[in-house]
Amino acid sequence: MKTAVVTGASRGVGKGVAVALGAAGYRVFVTGRSTGDKVTFPILGGTVEQTAAAVDQAGGHGVPVVCDHTDDDQTRDLFERVRAEAGGLDVLVNNVWGGYAAYHEDRFQDMEGPFWEQPLQVWDDMFTAGVRAHYTATALAAPLLRPGGLVATISFFPGSYPRDTDQVSYGVAKAADDRMARLMAAHLKPREVSVVSLYPGLVRTEGVLRSGDFFDLSNSESPEFIGRAILALAADPAGAANRSGQALVVAELAAEYGFTDTDGTRPTSVRAEYEP
């Protein structure tokens, strides 16, 4: 049984990726802070136990792990558990992302206006519970990754196509994730491990659906769609190696590999909306 770790998997993209991997028969360690009645964002719901159960239902083996990825000791304990229970790792998905905390806590004003009027915490949310958490997880996972393994970090178009209207902390965080993937790819190449950034389109997460009146969902993606892209790359180590270090668009991978979303549709790439 192949083994994956999906960070930040209580809900949203992380949960969808974990379920997709479960449907392919993976053992999936699903991490997050939400457990039992201690849900980080009650308005959205979701716990690691619920995601692990969904992985089981999909046909895999879900392992819930309560982990705050801003705590290095907790993150280290996670990968020690992976070593002890699985002996190694095939896929790491860096999905944990604290950058939307203000949205999920209805502190919308924190994300509005020029950067000098925003709380400094906005930067910390995106870097400490985002970029640094991705770095830490990958550093601790590296010794466990088997040849042919894959590291996928969930990023977004501002990383490659910055616009003057982008929020400063968000744009810099995504650019950092993308550059980190490129450099890590070079370092992990001798270990035959590929590293990529992934750009989804508009994803129907709980947060997006909560504000559905503000979005055009006609070309949106399910959270599982991103998981199918990761599966396609993981099943094609040579193809993943050729793309290692790159930022890849999920919808473009779907067109290339021939997979569809859960409803049988194939969302189209929104790259053109971001290219200059």
Side-chain angles (χ1 to χ4, degrees):
M1 177 180 286
K2 289 191 173 182
T3 299
V5 169
V6 183
T7 69
S10 300
R11 62 189 70 82
V13 169
K15 181 177 181 178
V17 168
V19 171
L21 292 170
Y26 274 70
R27 168 174 29 205
V28 187
F29 288 81
V30 297
T31 77
R33 293 177 295 168
S34 294
T35 177
D37 59 355
K38 297 179 180 178
V39 179
T40 307
F41 301 115
I43 201 164
L44 299 179
T47 67
V48 291
E49 291 86 3
Q50 290 170 343
T51 297
V55 171
D56 291 344
Q57 187 173 9
H61 175 52
V63 183
V65 182
V66 179
C67 180
D68 180 346
H69 283 277
T70 67
D71 185 319
D72 293 349
D73 288 337
Q74 291 186 36
T75 308
R76 188 174 288 107
D77 289 346
L78 159 68
F79 288 104
E80 285 301 321
R81 181 172 175 183
V82 173
R83 184 193 299 275
E85 296 183 15
L89 185 63
D90 300 287
V91 175
L92 169 65
V93 183
N94 285 315
N95 173 73
V96 63
W97 176 248
Y100 294 149
Y103 289 134
H104 301 332
E105 295 170 355
D106 288 343
R107 294 183 287 109
F108 300 103
Q109 69 280 1
D110 288 359
M111 306 289 277
E112 297 171 353
F115 71 89
W116 60 87
E117 294 180 1
Q118 295 177 354
L120 297 178
Q121 183 64 39
V122 170
W123 176 279
D124 293 337
D125 288 344
M126 302 214 182
F127 277 80
T128 305
V131 178
R132 189 185 188 281
H134 302 160
Y135 176 85
T136 304
T138 310
L140 294 173
L144 301 179
L145 285 161
R146 299 182 176 105
L150 176 69
V151 177
T153 297
I154 307 304
S155 187
F156 201 52
F157 292 93
S160 294
Y161 306 107
R163 299 182 292 191
D164 291 346
T165 55
D166 289 338
Q167 186 188 56
V168 173
S169 54
Y170 183 81
V172 177
K174 294 307 179 185
D177 268 337
D178 291 352
R179 178 57 63 90
M180 185 163 60
R182 180 176 176 178
L183 295 173
M184 286 179 169
H187 286 241
L188 287 170
K189 184 177 181 179
R191 300 178 67 90
E192 299 179 43
V193 172
S194 299
V195 186
V196 299
S197 292
L198 288 180
Y199 293 177
L202 177 61
V203 185
R204 296 187 298 275
T205 62
E206 295 89 344
V208 167
L209 293 177
R210 178 174 171 245
S211 304
D213 291 344
F214 299 96
F215 294 104
D216 176 3
L217 300 177
S218 59
N219 188 44
S220 61
E221 304 168 3
S222 75
E224 289 88 343
F225 190 55
I226 298 92
R228 293 182 177 189
I230 292 169
L231 281 170
L233 290 169
D236 180 20
N242 287 336
R243 297 172 174 83
S244 192
Q246 298 178 21
L248 307 174
V249 179
V250 171
E252 293 172 8
L253 290 172
E256 177 181 348
Y257 282 102
F259 63 87
T260 63
D261 207 338
T262 54
D263 60 1
T265 64
R266 184 174 293 144
T268 57
S269 173
V270 298
R271 183 196 294 267
E273 298 178 17
Y274 292 89
E275 289 180 324

